[in-house]
Amino acid sequence: MIVVFTGGTGGTKLVQGLQHIVPPEELTVIVNTGDDIEWWGLHVSPDVDSVLYGLAGLLSKERGWGVEDDSFRCLERMKQLGQASWFSLGDLDLATHLTRTMLLRAGKRLSEATAELAAKFGIRARVLPMSDDRVSTMLDTAKGTLTFQEYFVRERHQVEARAVRFEGAENARPAPGVIESIETAEAIVFAPSNPVTSIGPILAVPGVRQALRETKATVAAVSPIIGGEAVSGPAGVLMTMMGWPSTIAGVAKAYEDFLDVLVADRADEAQALTMSTTGLRVLSTNTIMRSIDDKRELAAFVLGACTAQQNVVG
Ligand code: FO1
């Protein structure tokens, strides 16, 4: 089993690459739910949906979130009706949130609702939200405490962030299958997602970090930072806020207690060469994923690095 940790839009691209080279029944994707938001009374799970749409071939290529060729007529009408409209839900996307919300109201857990949605979209890989319990990423900013979507979408991450916390994480339990998949994985891959707000919430769920430290599987991460800057979004500034450098060394720092292999971009090859220690191998390749070939090649490179690491170890 190949297990991927992901959140955000960059992460989904690597999941799509892995989908092309790993049989679906051998792929488990563990997804951040700290970004979840209740919007117009509906439970929206943006990172889960990016993975579902990505695996189902429905993801908007232009936006990297939501459904390809969606319309926004409901949003327009909500605006006219004076409702909040800074978070754009497409008309087809709405059907996903309506279904999820109906399933949750009928008593299903988030992991069950996700599995049902995945099956309806024809997805055979396993998509697991990190927890069935509510965990909310909250940022203390110059404009007060904001939810992740308020910070990221409403404020376009232009407001200064001072601290992050994952509300509810202390009492959250990993969703069924999360710990087991870490324990039994052949390889574990951290997608090039923001280590602070996309992966941080997953690692904050009690038991997850410990399972990663103890697993026999090789743990690899693809850096979301290239040449000292995030490929997209606020990863760089949020890493600096955490006291980690906004470099590939900062990514290694975020995962230092369990990481075996760090895959960096060729732009960071010189730093990569200086970083390998007995505990960590740092490799470089092209990590920008524009085409499906880029995604597939990076996925193959990462899995190859995991296999090579196993050979080195034993
Ligand atoms: N991102 C935006 O920049 N603006 C939006 O209005 C927006 C709406 C939205 C609706 C559903 C969904 O699944 C994702 C959406 N996103 C939007 C992306 C979302 O903020 C990000 O995918 C993650 O939460 C962070 O990576």
Side-chain angles (χ1 to χ4, degrees):
M1 184 67 64
I2 307 299
V3 175
V4 194
F5 279 62
T6 187
T9 51
T12 298
K13 292 182 179 178
L14 187 66
V15 173
Q16 289 174 313
L18 286 162
Q19 180 188 29
H20 278 83
I21 55 173
V22 177
E25 58 281 2
E26 291 293 316
L27 187 61
T28 294
V29 189
I30 300 177
V31 192
N32 171 41
T33 58
D35 295 11
D36 288 16
I37 175 173
E38 181 163 322
W39 189 254
W40 301 339
L42 303 177
H43 186 112
V44 182
S45 204
D47 287 356
V48 169
D49 290 342
S50 293
V51 170
L52 293 179
Y53 296 152
L55 288 171
L58 296 171
L59 187 67
S60 164
K61 287 179 209 66
E62 192 194 326
R63 279 176 273 121
W65 52 268
V67 179
E68 180 85 336
D69 292 330
D70 208 349
S71 51
F72 290 86
R73 297 189 64 197
C74 179
L75 177 72
E76 281 310 314
R77 181 54 58 92
M78 288 299 267
K79 236 185 252 180
Q80 287 163 5
L81 293 174
Q83 301 301 326
S85 56
W86 56 261
F87 192 66
S88 305
L89 292 191
D91 299 327
L92 296 175
D93 193 22
L94 261 173
T96 302
H97 314 312
L98 283 163
T99 304
R100 173 183 295 112
T101 305
M102 287 159 75
L103 290 169
L104 293 173
R105 290 210 182 127
K108 298 267 162 86
R109 295 180 292 188
L110 184 61
S111 54
E112 294 170 318
T114 304
E116 278 198 34
L117 281 166
K120 287 180 204 296
F121 284 128
I123 295 165
R124 285 163 57 218
R126 196 170 186 208
V127 180
L128 295 177
M130 64 192 202
S131 177
D132 285 329
D133 302 315
R134 192 75 189 91
V135 177
S136 300
T137 298
M138 306 297 295
L139 292 123
D140 293 333
T141 75
K143 281 200 171 176
T145 301
L146 304 179
T147 63
F148 179 80
Q149 298 300 344
E150 286 170 339
Y151 167 74
F152 186 76
V153 175
R154 197 187 70 198
E155 302 298 330
R156 296 164 200 264
H157 49 86
Q158 295 308 307
V159 56
E160 186 204 339
R162 296 170 182 161
V164 66
R165 71 205 137 72
F166 308 115
E167 217 167 77
E170 336 60 81
N171 298 317
R173 288 148 303 168
V178 167
I179 298 296
E180 297 79 352
S181 59
I182 297 170
E183 284 170 351
T184 57
E186 287 154 56
I188 299 177
V189 178
F190 280 68
S193 300
N194 182 331
V196 183
T197 50
S198 293
I199 302 296
I202 314 181
L203 298 177
V205 176
V208 171
R209 228 178 164 121
Q210 189 62 24
L212 285 162
R213 287 189 200 117
E214 288 170 4
T215 184
K216 290 192 184 69
T218 300
V219 183
V222 178
S223 174
I225 301 286
I226 299 182
E229 279 179 33
V231 177
S232 68
V237 281
L238 293 179
M239 287 172 68
T240 308
M241 177 194 79
M242 296 295 291
W244 306 328
S246 163
T247 62
I248 59 169
V251 180
K253 176 86 188 144
Y255 305 142
E256 66 183 348
D257 49 331
F258 53 77
L259 192 65
D260 301 305
V261 179
L262 178 64
V263 176
D265 193 79
R266 284 218 180 88
D268 290 309
E269 195 162 11
Q271 190 180 6
L273 284 171
T274 65
M275 272 176 61
S276 284
T277 61
T278 42
L280 181 68
R281 281 173 72 218
V282 188
L283 307 172
S284 51
T285 187
N286 172 41
T287 64
I288 300 269
M289 294 175 278
R290 290 198 184 89
S291 66
I292 184 59
D293 284 343
D294 294 338
K295 296 173 188 173
R296 202 186 299 128
E297 278 164 26
L298 180 58
F301 183 90
V302 178
L303 290 189
C306 289
T307 317
Q309 176 79 8
Q310 272 159 1
N311 291 342
V312 170
V313 173

